[in-house]
Amino acid sequence: MAITEKAAPPGSAAAHDEPPGGTDPGGTDPGGTDPGGADHGRPSRPGRSGRSEQEGWHLNSPLVLTLVLLLVVVFQGPVRGALAKPVMQSWMTVFVAVVVQALPFLVLGVLLSAALAVFVPPSFFARALPGRPALAVPVAGLAGAILPGCECASVPVAGALVRRGVTPAAAIAFLLSAPAINPIVLTATAVAFPRNPEMVLARFAGSLLVACVMGWLWQRVGRTDWLRPPAHAHHEGETKMEAFWSSVRHDTVHAGGFLVLGAMAAATLKAVAPAEWLRTAAANPVVAILALSILAVLLSICSEADAFVAASLTQFSLTAKLAFLIVGPMIDLKLFAMQAGTFGRGFALRFAPATFVAAIAGALVTGAVLL
């Protein structure tokens, strides 16, 4: 009885009353007779088996793809019949044409943006920019012309610039200009509009103008409590090659997915939407510009591929297509979510509407002068 009262079991209330600085409940007995150590090791095995059992039932992407392929094989008769219809033939033609034209530029842009994000330190940009914010804004905007990358890559790079001490006005100018005026995007625009080379110059000038205006606007009216810089570096803890391929996989999945969605939407507009609707919208210049600007926000197409989608909308004027090309890389649904996650919801709620209005105004001004 006396022995029982003095030596409380490790799992009892007396053992839990031990102060933090007391004996180790995890079992440090050199003889290995402490039951606490055995108790601590025992629950981990059922936990691991429980997780394995749950992961076995997890609905992952390969399983979904397998199920979709099985459904296609089972219902191949109705699927063939649906694809044989003229409307579906037209839809597939536009869809495949947009994807095949845009895919090489998308892949090249993803590879270059991943290399930029991983192998070029953010401190390089802080040293390269002028000390005066008013001059740093156009320099940062022009830096986007020589640094390839889509909008998915520009958001974390801009966040890294702010975190490393770059003035937010310059980071905002880079954030808006880099996806719209880099060499990959301008080359893709030239390929998509072979008969309208002025579209390349108009896209460059209009996007750079809007980026600088938004940077200067933030410098004048922006407040530090509206901006919440990211606290952690991107790809922290990985080697450079691991970070590079991780960035490539991430950007390819995101940008490729949005390219497919954009191509599907463009093909649907061409094949399903009544021609008189598109002609009615395209006939009114104001309605056409507003309609394609809203469409750019909703489609959220990667900037390396949006020129091919815009070129497929043959009913609309060049100025309306220019609005589509300027608005899309600066503000869309995925960018709003990324900006809110990187800089805070307060920043995104103020920044997105102002950018949308400035991008439309920039397209109107640039279109009136160059197109």
Side-chain angles (χ1 to χ4, degrees), residues 144-240:
I146 58 174
L147 298 174
C150 67
E151 57 268 35
C152 301
S154 66
V155 174
V157 172
L161 293 178
V162 174
R163 190 175 60 250
R164 298 297 176 88
V166 175
T167 175
I172 286 172
F174 177 85
L175 170 70
L176 296 179
S177 68
I181 65 173
N182 69 71
I184 304 299
V185 170
L186 295 180
T187 303
T189 306
V191 174
F193 293 91
R195 298 181 180 178
N196 305 105
E198 65 273 15
M199 283 292 290
V200 180
L201 178 60
R203 182 173 196 178
F204 175 87
S207 300
L208 181 60
L209 173 65
V210 175
C212 291
V213 167
M214 290 301 299
W216 286 323
L217 182 64
W218 176 268
Q219 179 191 353
R220 187 169 184 82
V221 303
R223 290 164 41 182
T224 56
D225 58 333
W226 291 351
L227 187 67
R228 186 199 63 187
H232 301 287
H234 199 48
H235 302 305
E236 189 174 356
E238 299 179 349
T239 66
K240 286 190 178 295

